[in-house]
Amino acid sequence: MPAPTTPGAVPAPALRADCDNCFGLCCVALTFSVSADFPVDKKAGEPCRNLRTDFRCGIHRELRGKGFQGCTVYDCLGAGQKVSQVTFGGRDWREAPESAERMFAALPVMRQLHELLGYLNEALALEPARPLHQEIARALDETERLTLTGPEALLELDVAARRAAVNPLLLHTSELVRAQVRGKGKRKNHRGADLFGARLRGADLRGADLRGAYLIAADLRGADLRQADLIGADLRDADLRGADLTGAFFLVQPQLNAAKGDPATRIPPSLTRPGHW
């Protein structure tokens, strides 16, 4: 069940993909190469061979079976419908081909802004970060305004600068939240650590700083990740079966989608259990 929207926050549905109101942008704008995630090559700006005339995927229910695992991991975080319906006013790239290039280029920019909105939304709902809530709300409003600009302004936006402006707030939020964790031992700092394939089965990672950690194919079965900061952590093929991510924060849906889990994996209420679990 989704978490209730915090007053002052962007409504949660706006930060979730709504394919009915998108022009199949992720199926055209993004590039992919033959790999374990895709069976074919596709250039940016080239429509996927499975994209139908109604902008829906023709093999949506069979993506993994047909080798398109990468599609099941990707999530635009609501950027697709925002670019389609707001930035370009509901005119699709087939109807207005002159806007296609700009529309496709706008998607990754909008997605980064929506990712920031999601982090700020979450920070605004975290009680330990209450001393920062006014500043967080201001950053949230400023970021949301950027998503409502026209195509030209959006494409000229320095997203890296926006991230740099927001990051100190997210760092401070993380410190305040993790400081609430009580228990034996020091809270672990694995920020940016290379934990590729690490054996962390049953590990006590409560309140750990895992920002940007490489947890690709890590064994996290039964690990305790409560109140861990997972912003930017790479969880591709990480084994989360039986792990407890209750209260883990700055965790986004694509990270879960890329990991392995099972019915015993406990996840934050704002996220959805991936279908392949």
Side-chain angles (χ1 to χ4, degrees):
M1 180 182 297
T5 301
T6 302
V10 175
L15 300 179
R16 297 196 194 100
D18 178 2
C19 297
D20 287 336
N21 286 298
C22 177
F23 301 139
L25 298 188
C26 66
C27 303
V28 187
L30 307 181
T31 184
F32 50 74
S33 304
V34 173
S35 63
D37 292 325
F38 297 101
V40 295
D41 294 324
K42 189 189 83 65
K43 298 178 182 179
E46 173 187 329
C48 174
R49 66 187 188 186
N50 299 310
L51 183 65
R52 302 186 317 202
T53 56
D54 63 355
F55 300 114
R56 303 306 297 267
C57 175
I59 60 167
H60 181 70
R61 297 181 182 276
E62 307 170 87
L63 284 168
R64 285 185 170 263
K66 291 186 177 293
F68 287 86
Q69 179 175 315
C71 296
T72 68
V73 171
Y74 180 79
D75 191 313
C76 76
L77 305 176
Q81 67 259 27
K82 177 73 76 65
V83 170
S84 298
Q85 302 301 330
V86 178
T87 312
F88 286 87
R91 294 191 69 202
D92 68 67
W93 48 272
R94 286 173 176 149
E95 176 188 356
E98 70 281 358
S99 69
E101 186 175 347
R102 290 181 302 153
M103 188 179 292
F104 302 152
L107 178 66
V109 177
M110 186 69 80
R111 187 186 183 280
Q112 290 189 69
L113 291 175
H114 270 224
E115 185 176 59
L116 285 178
L117 287 175
Y119 292 146
L120 290 166
N121 257 7
E122 188 170 359
L124 196 60
L126 292 168
E127 183 59 32
R130 180 170 290 279
L132 303 175
H133 280 183
Q134 185 173 356
E135 196 173 352
I136 292 169
R138 186 160 54 248
L140 186 68
D141 288 342
E142 291 169 356
T143 305
E144 172 67 0
R145 280 199 295 273
L146 291 174
T147 72
L148 301 175
T149 58
E152 289 73 22
L154 191 65
L155 293 174
E156 291 174 1
L157 180 65
D158 187 340
V159 182
R162 187 64 204 150
R163 283 188 173 277
V166 168
N167 195 49
L169 272 177
L170 301 180
L171 281 168
H172 196 175
T173 295
S174 176
E175 291 165 0
L176 292 172
V177 173
R178 291 183 300 105
Q180 305 298 306
V181 177
R182 297 288 183 265
K184 295 181 179 179
K186 185 178 180 181
R187 291 185 303 278
K188 300 194 172 50
N189 184 353
H190 293 303
R191 183 182 301 182
D194 184 355
L195 297 171
F196 188 107
R199 298 177 179 176
L200 295 167
R201 186 172 184 174
D204 183 356
L205 294 169
R206 287 174 296 170
D209 184 350
L210 290 163
R211 295 171 66 90
Y214 295 94
L215 287 159
I216 303 168
D219 184 356
L220 288 160
R221 286 175 292 172
D224 190 345
L225 290 153
R226 288 176 292 172
Q227 280 75 50
D229 181 350
L230 288 164
I231 193 169
D234 193 335
L235 295 173
R236 283 177 293 170
D237 291 322
D239 194 339
L240 295 172
R241 287 178 292 173
D244 189 352
L245 289 91
T246 306
F249 59 101
F250 298 151
L251 174 67
V252 294
Q253 191 65 46
Q255 288 171 290
L256 276 190
N257 293 347
K260 300 175 182 177
D262 64 9
T265 306
R266 301 179 66 187
I267 64 174
S270 58
L271 299 177
T272 301
R273 188 175 302 276
H276 63 279
W277 285 15

